[in-house]
Each structure stands twice: as C-alpha cells, then as structure tokens.
Amino acid sequence: MNESLEIIKNLDWSPLIISIKTAIVATIISFFIGVLLAKKAMTCNKKNKAFLDGIMSLPIVLPPTVAGFILLIVFSKRRFLGSFLLDNFNISVLQTWLGCILAATVIALPLMYQNARAAFEQVDENLIYAARTLGMSERKIFYRILLPVARPGLIAGSILCFARAMGEYGATSMIAGNIPGKTGTISQTIAMVINDGDYLKAGIWVVIVLMISFVIIYSVNVTLSKK
C-alpha cells in the first residue's frame, strides 16, 4: 500500500493530460465532420449512402495499426502531402501532438458518424415535411428540428467518440510515437511500463482508465435514458 501511494505521489500525469487534450480536440473535429457527413447521408441514394457508410466504417473494422500505417505513408515527409505541409506551413504531423489528434480523429470519427446518422434517421419525417410545408428552408429545418430532436443521440455519440479517442493506441503509436510529455498517451504509457516490468505502475494507470471508462459509460446511459 505504501509503495502504491508513493508511486501515485510521484506519478507523471502528463499521459493523462495529453490523452484528455487529444480526446477533446478529436471529439470536436469528429463532431462537426460526423454530423455533416451524417446529414449528407440522409440525402444520398442507396448506392452513394452504402459507399459513404463503407468508407466511414473502415477505421472500425481495420486494425488501428493499419490505419496508422496509412497515415504514416500519407503524411510522411517524403510524400507529397507531408512535404507540402512542412515546406509551405511548417506543419509536421509525424512524432507530434498533431499526429495524436489526427490518429484519434480518424479512429473515433466513425462512432460519431454512425451515432449522428442513427439519431437523424429516428427523427419523425412528418416533422420535416410539415416544416417544408410551412416554408422553412433546409438550413432552418436542420438547426431548429433535426439537431434539437437528435440531441440525445449526438451527445451519446460525442461521449463515445471521446472515449475511443482517449483510449486510442495503435494508430497513435505508428504516426506520433511515444515521446514522454509530448505524444505519450495513457495507452502508450501502460504498454511501456508493462514492457519495463513495472506492473504496479501499470495497474495504477489501468485503475485510472477503468474509472474514466465507467464515468463515460454511465454518462452515455444517462443520456440515452433521456431520449
């Protein structure tokens, strides 16, 4: 017990801070992109919708390391996009916090998209038809009808998106690495201390993650119960 308290006292909290900051930014980005694509899916024909769903579902079915490898190739400084960003905007994705955000967003975005699409599809179409009959524009229908009615589903999707982004490991390790105080997230820290044989410190981090996960699951259940 004393040893555990001593470890907690001297624990470097930067992995938790980095993970939370990364998850917050990734969730914000995923929210706007996910909602936009979900709204677009509502107006697509079956073939285009199936194609969009397929693209958005890929990060879920693919191993995170595969997604990370693709990002690594795309944003490599030897490739067009990576060199373009570096030469023209001095932006480097590899081995940076930006890489953490990009990896977390790519992996978490499908959850936001799927929840947003499901929430929009559950909106009573009669409400939309009535609004159109009254002369409301599509933009007003979206902001005044779709978003308010679908709010519980969007909130739940955002919470799940945050959880997935915070726990991301595979893609992050590929594109951002594990630089302490810079790109070292909780998941990477747990893997690192286990490799070092420090199971007590790993256990402490696992308990912290379990507590955060429980709060997230509880929040989702409370949100969905209000629907």
Side-chain angles (χ1 to χ4, degrees):
M1 178 64 71
N2 291 333
E3 185 178 357
S4 299
L5 292 176
E6 187 65 23
I7 292 177
I8 295 175
K9 182 179 179 180
N10 298 319
L11 194 65
D12 178 14
W13 294 98
S14 64
L16 177 61
I17 297 173
I18 292 172
S19 295
I20 292 177
K21 286 166 52 179
T22 300
I24 291 174
V25 177
T27 300
I28 293 173
I29 296 173
S30 297
F31 178 85
F32 288 103
I33 297 177
V35 169
L36 179 64
L37 292 178
K39 181 178 179 297
K40 181 66 177 178
M42 295 180 62
T43 60
C44 290
N45 56 44
K46 290 184 178 180
K47 290 185 178 180
N48 290 337
K49 184 178 180 180
F51 178 80
L52 180 59
D53 286 346
I55 293 295
M56 294 305 300
S57 298
L58 275 178
I60 295 179
V61 299
L62 287 176
T65 49
V66 174
F69 177 76
I70 295 174
L71 292 175
L72 183 64
I73 296 299
V74 172
F75 289 96
S76 171
K77 297 177 182 178
R78 298 180 179 180
R79 306 292 178 178
F80 171 75
L81 184 57
S83 61
F84 176 80
L85 292 175
L86 183 62
D87 295 340
N88 293 276
F89 304 100
N90 196 29
I91 295 176
S92 178
V93 175
L94 304 184
Q95 306 297 313
T96 64
W97 183 53
L98 180 59
C100 292
I101 296 173
L102 179 62
T105 301
V106 169
I107 298 300
L109 176 58
L111 290 176
M112 187 67 241
Y113 166 77
Q114 290 183 350
N115 278 271
R117 197 196 70 186
F120 289 154
E121 289 178 346
Q122 291 178 5
V123 176
D124 189 351
E125 292 185 354
N126 292 324
L127 294 175
I128 299 176
Y129 294 148
R132 288 172 178 167
T133 302
L134 294 174
M136 290 183 64
S137 64
E138 293 298 322
R139 174 172 293 188
K140 287 185 178 181
I141 292 174
F142 178 70
Y143 285 108
R144 296 186 180 182
I145 296 178
L146 280 178
L147 285 183
V149 176
R151 182 174 59 183
L154 297 179
I155 294 175
S158 299
I159 296 173
L160 290 173
C161 182
F162 176 86
R164 186 65 187 87
M166 188 168 179
E168 210 297 304
Y169 172 73
T172 302
S173 61
M174 292 286 291
I175 191 173
N178 184 17
I179 305 174
K182 186 177 180 181
T183 64
T185 61
I186 289 181
S187 299
Q188 293 174 306
T189 300
I190 292 175
M192 181 181 66
V193 295
I194 288 178
N195 289 333
D196 294 339
D198 193 347
Y199 291 94
L200 181 57
K201 182 179 288 186
I204 292 174
W205 278 117
V206 167
V207 171
I208 293 173
V209 172
L210 286 173
M211 293 173 62
I212 295 174
S213 300
F214 175 79
V215 171
I216 290 173
I217 294 173
Y218 176 80
S219 301
V220 171
N221 290 336
V222 170
T223 301
L224 291 178
S225 67
K226 296 179 180 180
K227 292 182 66 174

